[in-house]
Amino acid sequence: MKTTISLLIGLICYCEITNAQPKTFSKVYPFINNSTIFFDAVELNGKLYSCGWMVNNLDRTDRGLLVGTDQIGNQIYNSIKEDGDSINPTLLYKQILLLENTIYCSGYLVTFDSSTLGYKKDAILAKYDTLGNELWYRKNYGFGSRNFSNSTDLMYHNNKILHLGSTVYEAQPSQSSRTQNTVLFWVDTSGNIINFKEFSLSTQHKYEIGSDLEPLADGGFLITGQLTNNGGGGQRNGFIAKFDSAGNTIWFKIYGEQGRLEDLNSVTVLADGNYLACGWRARDEDLTGVNAAWDSWLVKVNPLNGDTIWTKTVNAAYYNAGVRVYELANGNLMVGGEGGNLDSANGDAQIMQLDALGNKLWAKRYGWPYNPVNNAVSAENIYEFKQTSDGGYMFVGDARDFINGSGLQSGWLLKLDSNGCLVAGCGSVGMVEYEVFKTLTFTAYPNPAQNEVSISGELQDGDVLTFFDFTGKLLEQRVINSSELPTFDVSGYANGIYLLQLYRSGYDKVVRKVVVNK
């Protein structure tokens, strides 16, 4: 059964105990009659800038989307990009880059090609100021007869913007001659192409997709991604390739097992100089990933030749897939990605802390809430996980927005503190495994109340009690730090229904309705 998440987790927009505590929030950004997705985000001076995709559910037009938010998740602006030169085009932003107080959004544009009576997909790049004003828009990069398939990473390196993607030969996926290769092109800050390279790194694999760029101190860079074999049958493995500054291959290595579905999403350079890649791999009982039974997968490699130093599969009670890994000052590792149930497509954001050898210390999962009216369960997708300048972390993705009443797909931002907590003090020592759920009970009395509400039940030090009005506005929050039973003064509140939430790390959140009636 999917995690039971309280209605209020998505309404808590700001939980700060001290001024030094990283800002935390969980918010969706709905647009009337539109579904939206956030694929990537960057941070500047505490503000977040998210790029993605908007689909109009009435006329099915597709637009690029850029949304700016403040440090507690309130929307500052949105910029919606349409391509006026084509009829009903699909325009999609996938990656975002912050450079000298300007924002670059990359993606692709799908248009109808009258000469072939088919559809053509081209790379695009747009530049904005931090107020969301478009400065310029570049498209039709072309690449000959090839069909640009994806935009998977964007990086500024050696005074150039590097754009990673892939190309497809033969536009129709059903054609047996279809192949897919990794492409990389360099552009200047005006979007003009400086250089272009297409990689077919392995002759044994038909589909080759680079997913992440990582800069190196010597001017070179790494590309991480996935390879699917020509024979099909669920065989897919991860790869890492090392390049010099001109894009010449230094080494290329494939990682994984024969007959198993695996993927590497990103790579980072560790303090010891070695490389650590992060992704996911299918479990033994589901080698081809048909049932989406997979776990986070780490591969540590030698920087000189790419040889494996160690690999680690990080299991959980539910499936989990690592998007990105960060090394902490103490040598531990923080992995973020998507977790979820084996029996449905509903996912959650999952954050895990591991030791330096990849052994799990704790894991936490967060989702957008279910709709208590019709018991509709939200489905979340995570596309990016990033560390923020205040020591916290953010997840970028989308969720079904039941709280706002639409039930449509909406861009979702989840901002956590350095311990992976949405509510400060949620617990970060020892095993905090949200896959093993326990239920708390507590009572709020008298109910209805006139002046004061008292709490009794299974309470202990560190529990968090939060009092909201019925719109989700935070009124008061208490962290229990003694054996004294807490009370809330409601004498100044208007008559109506209020919500009281009890939170303890590793447990289901519990909500009680409290009626104030004087």
Side-chain angles (χ1 to χ4, degrees), residues 260-265 277-283 292-299 310-325 334-340 349-354 358-360 362-363 385 395 435:
R260 188 186 295 267
L261 198 65
E262 298 157 312
D263 196 356
L264 289 177
N265 293 320
C278 173
W280 59 271
R281 70 197 312 256
R283 294 180 177 179
W294 52 66
D295 293 300
S296 289
W297 180 40
L298 297 175
V299 182
W310 57 254
T311 67
K312 189 75 175 182
T313 302
V314 187
N315 299 99
Y318 291 75
Y319 78 74
N320 68 99
V323 170
R324 197 169 295 276
V325 58
M334 197 73 86
V335 176
E338 185 169 295
Q350 178 161 281
I351 187 170
M352 300 186 290
Q353 188 168 140
L354 318 176
N359 300 303
K360 184 170 61 177
W362 54 256
F385 168 71
F395 287 90
E435 288 87 357

Side-chain angles (χ1 to χ4, degrees), residues 147 168-180 206-207:
N147 196 0
V168 176
Y169 290 88
E170 302 294 339
Q172 299 301 320
S174 61
Q175 295 183 11
S176 60
S177 59
R178 182 177 185 262
T179 60
Q180 192 162 347
K206 193 171 184 180
Y207 306 116

Side-chain angles (χ1 to χ4, degrees), residues 197-252:
K197 286 206 171 186
E198 180 172 350
F199 305 105
S200 183
L201 296 168
S202 171
T203 58
Q204 299 176 349
H205 293 81
K206 193 171 184 180
Y207 306 116
E208 178 180 299
I209 303 174
S211 58
D212 181 57
L213 283 167
E214 179 71 11
L216 299 175
D218 63 2
F221 55 91
L222 304 173
I223 293 180
T224 310
Q226 59 174 269
L227 299 156
T228 303
N229 70 345
N230 290 332
Q235 170 77 25
R236 189 166 83 199
N237 298 122
F239 77 83
I240 304 174
K242 184 174 182 177
F243 301 89
D244 63 20
S245 59
N248 300 308
T249 306
I250 298 174
W251 54 255
F252 162 74

Side-chain angles (χ1 to χ4, degrees), residues 18-32:
T18 67
N19 289 333
Q21 189 71 26
K23 306 295 189 295
T24 63
F25 62 87
S26 177
K27 283 194 172 184
V28 294
Y29 300 86
F31 291 79
I32 296 175

